[in-house]
Amino acid sequence: MRDARLHAGIPIKPVYGPEDLAGVDVERDIGTPGEYPFTRGIHKHMYRDRLWTMRQYIGFGTPSETNARFKYLMAHGQDALNVAFDLPTQLGLDSDDPRAEGEVGRVGMAIDTFADMEEAFAGIPLDRVSVSLTINSMAAPITAMFFAVAEQQGTSRDRVVTTPQNDILKEFVARGTWVYPVDPSLRLVGDLIEYSARHYPRSNPVSVCGYHIREAGCTTAQEMAYGLAIAAAYVDMMVRRGMDVDDFAPRVSFNFTCWGKIFEEVAKFRAGRRLYARMLRERFGAKNPKSCMFRSLIGGGGSSFVPEEPENNIVRGAYIALAAALSGAQTMALPTYDEAYTIPSAKAQLIALRTMQICAEESGATDTVDPLAGSYYVEAITAEMEKKIVAEMAEVERMGGIVEAVKAGAIQAEVARQAYLFERKLASGEIPKVGVNCYVGDQRAAADQEVELYSCDPKVSAAQVAKLEKIRRERDHGAVDASLARLRDAARGTENLMPPIMDAVRAYATLGEIARAMKDVFGEHKEPVKFA
Amino acid sequence: MRVLVAKPGLDGHDRGAKVVVQALRDAGVEVIYTGLKRTPEEIVHEAVQEDVDVIGLSILSGAHLLLARRVLDGLRAQGAGDIKVVVGGIIPPRDVAELQQLGVRHVFPMATPLDDIVKAFKESL
């Protein structure tokens, strides 16, 4: 008999039976859908009442090109947007900054000023379309620009639904778009949460991500453990700032990945939901059940896609969609089959959207809530995953808590160690990958022979810079300078930075100017490079 | 043999770079890794100062042609043209020949087996 293990390292028995449920208390641990501790899902009827939101990650080139792609997918039934920004935007550099050379509009759309944001959302009704903004160190100014566009469209604040990612801790661990040191970065996260809770009651000011940490190499249990530890750090920070947990926790959301073993993913999310619910109620004293809900975007893991025989990734995507549906996703996004080597083509994005729609409408996965509940196997590994996640969280505490462990580079080192172990297992065939390390034909299919490759048009950068220069010439310089001076002053103190940032945005200060004003006060993060 | 593994440009994806660092170390190679968002100038300076034999650039954003050219030009300008440069990341096949023409010794596009990368570093000398 071959050995089998979950990615979390837990051994899998060949057969599960009633004896494996000995420690599971049905009432306490599994419960009822829509009720604490939400193991079976956060809504009573789940997809019978409302399908998950389909939200492909899009953005490239200029704001107007991105606007056109938004509209293309919306015409095909996508109901919400998930915006990708280019790296200069994510790092607070204007398109004409020397460090932005070669990167403008490349991995997302370029945003320099409020005017770009107006263009990106032209003709998109922000009172009806919810918009995720994949932005972190620059979440405060970019979300301010988004709020300003909604204001300009005449949308009332309580109709605006936006989810800036705004999870800086995971940026220090994985993904890397940090700018300021850890402490002022956390302050900005908190300022946006507070401002949003007060003024934009339906917006979700933070999306806590396990996704990128797992994509960077950690295990399933670590993904959930680090995500929950990060969420706890933010909740704790807001409570310390004087907010009542129930005033903001209902709008905290999550972004987790999903790939690999279907039942392990389901168990990870079921265990994660009950751990989060218990943490919010028992540790933070939440009274509103909504505060205890682990609402998650489940984004399929692009790291499981490979360039060899790329069409096979479509099949992998279908299993991911099924796993995410069985896991109780509120929102879903899938990687595209060409994602392993290029910015997705329109065709590949449409196939990913269609994959989710087929799963939703044809597979039957949405007919009843949490269909795997009561399975000997799934309930047993849900309990096992819970123990493993708790153990990993205890390990984080031993490192001094998530904030200290991130500052020291300890989580980063562990993630890198796991990534290396994973790579070794791929090389040895211990983790199988069809067409890569098993069932490889005579000739390994040449990567991307049959796929369209995205070309970044150099004209994008020129157009963006020309527009930026025009705005710099035409705006009210006095107003810009005054707003930036106010922002610097505010940064030196402790007040919420969102109001001065909103003022700077409305005066058409550039993202680079706003970012620099804060850098003058906060300084820059110095990365702790460490290996286990 | 001394190697500098570096992440030039703005791209924050360091999984590949860190895996390669660990694989090289396990293969007995002395490796320096300097973290994210290094400029080409900083990389050249660090390579010269640390007296490395090979620089490994990891780039996933698509800006590899520009960044590799900057590092190679910088090395030549410092009289350090003998330091070999290899590049890995999301490198489309259409760009491999161009990188080699610039003077990149080896290119490791997506899906290059780890052992092949380690071997290529060792053969770069």
Side-chain angles (χ1 to χ4, degrees), chain A residues 429-440:
Chain A
E430 188 182 333
I431 293 177
K433 198 58 115 169
V434 171
V436 176
N437 67 9
C438 56
Y439 310 112
V440 180

Side-chain angles (χ1 to χ4, degrees), chain A residues 137-178:
Chain A
S137 55
M138 292 299 128
I142 289 291
T143 310
M145 288 184 193
F146 184 84
F147 287 154
V149 173
E151 219 167 65
Q152 200 178 51
Q153 287 192 3
T155 313
S156 82
R157 285 176 167 189
D158 58 3
R159 300 281 303 165
V160 176
V161 182
T162 185
T163 306
Q165 202 161 73
N166 195 30
D167 172 9
I168 199 65
L169 284 174
K170 69 95 176 43
E171 293 294 323
F172 291 113
V173 178
R175 204 173 176 279
T177 70
W178 37 260

Side-chain angles (χ1 to χ4, degrees), chain A residues 87-88 91 93 99-103 106-107 174-178 214-217 303 307-308 340-342 412 416-417 419-420 422-424 444 447-448 453-455 527 529 531, chain B residues 8-15 17-26 33-37 39 59-64 66-67 70 90 92-94 110-111 113-115 118:
Chain A
L87 286 166
L91 293 165
L93 303 173
R99 292 180 62 195
E101 192 187 354
E103 298 281 9
R106 197 181 271 282
V107 302
R175 204 173 176 279
T177 70
W178 37 260
R214 170 102 173 278
E215 291 295 286
S303 68
E308 294 91 342
Y341 44 81
T342 190
Q412 294 88 314
R417 187 181 76 88
Y420 183 48
F422 185 87
E423 215 55 45
R424 282 272 161 239
R444 279 173 65 148
D448 79 347
L453 284 177
Y454 173 72
S455 284
E527 184 185 357
V529 176
F531 288 92
Chain B
L10 308 181
D11 161 41
H13 295 90
D14 56 5
R15 176 178 181 159
K18 286 179 170 176
V19 164
V20 169
V21 167
Q22 294 172 90
L24 288 169
R25 282 195 183 161
D26 275 2
Y33 172 63
T34 47
L36 294 175
K37 290 178 267 198
T39 64
I59 308 162
L60 282 77
S61 74
H64 43 271
L66 176 89
L67 292 166
R70 288 274 156 83
I90 302 183
R94 64 180 176 209
M110 283 289 296
L114 199 49
D115 290 342
V118 173

Side-chain angles (χ1 to χ4, degrees), chain A residues 258 261-263 265-266 269 298 318-328:
Chain A
C258 179
K261 296 185 188 259
I262 293 175
F263 302 105
E265 292 298 331
V266 173
F269 284 104
I298 301 185
Y319 284 119
I320 289 174
L322 178 63
L326 295 172
S327 296

Side-chain angles (χ1 to χ4, degrees), chain B residues 47-67:
Chain B
V48 170
Q49 193 144 53
E50 296 284 347
D51 193 24
V52 302
D53 304 296
V54 185
I55 301 173
L57 300 176
S58 168
I59 308 162
L60 282 77
S61 74
H64 43 271
L65 287 170
L66 176 89
L67 292 166

Side-chain angles (χ1 to χ4, degrees), chain A residues 93-291:
Chain A
L93 303 173
D94 286 334
S95 293
D96 60 355
D97 189 293
R99 292 180 62 195
E101 192 187 354
E103 298 281 9
V104 175
R106 197 181 271 282
V107 302
M109 73 168 157
I111 296 286
D112 292 309
T113 68
F114 172 34
D116 293 322
M117 207 64 119
E118 293 172 50
E119 203 175 298
F121 293 99
I124 296 173
L126 297 184
D127 56 340
R128 273 177 288 147
V129 179
S130 73
V131 181
S132 285
L133 305 166
T134 300
I135 194 80
N136 292 279
S137 55
M138 292 299 128
I142 289 291
T143 310
M145 288 184 193
F146 184 84
F147 287 154
V149 173
E151 219 167 65
Q152 200 178 51
Q153 287 192 3
T155 313
S156 82
R157 285 176 167 189
D158 58 3
R159 300 281 303 165
V160 176
V161 182
T162 185
T163 306
Q165 202 161 73
N166 195 30
D167 172 9
I168 199 65
L169 284 174
K170 69 95 176 43
E171 293 294 323
F172 291 113
V173 178
R175 204 173 176 279
T177 70
W178 37 260
V179 173
Y180 311 117
V182 175
D183 290 328
S185 294
L186 284 169
R187 171 189 174 184
L188 280 167
V189 170
D191 284 355
L192 182 50
I193 293 175
E194 188 179 56
Y195 183 84
S196 189
R198 299 241 155 96
H199 304 288
Y200 289 88
R202 289 181 68 210
S203 282
N204 308 295
V206 60
S207 177
V208 178
C209 302
Y211 183 101
H212 313 82
I213 307 178
R214 170 102 173 278
E215 291 295 286
C218 77
T219 69
T220 47
Q222 287 173 328
E223 176 195 12
M224 187 55 74
Y226 298 157
L228 293 178
I230 289 172
Y234 297 148
V235 172
D236 186 55
M237 169 172 74
M238 299 318 293
V239 170
R240 282 168 194 275
R241 285 169 68 137
M243 287 187 84
D244 186 298
V245 65
D246 289 321
D247 285 346
F248 64 91
R251 304 314 308 180
V252 171
S253 66
F254 291 85
N255 176 350
F256 274 65
T257 192
C258 179
W259 58 268
K261 296 185 188 259
I262 293 175
F263 302 105
E264 177 173 12
E265 292 298 331
V266 173
K268 176 186 83 183
F269 284 104
R270 295 173 92 248
R273 275 196 295 269
R274 73 187 179 213
L275 281 166
Y276 183 68
R278 286 174 184 155
M279 181 167 84
L280 267 284
R281 181 183 279 187
E282 291 164 17
R283 178 170 161 200
F284 294 109
K287 303 213 168 41
N288 183 347
K290 286 199 161 74
S291 297

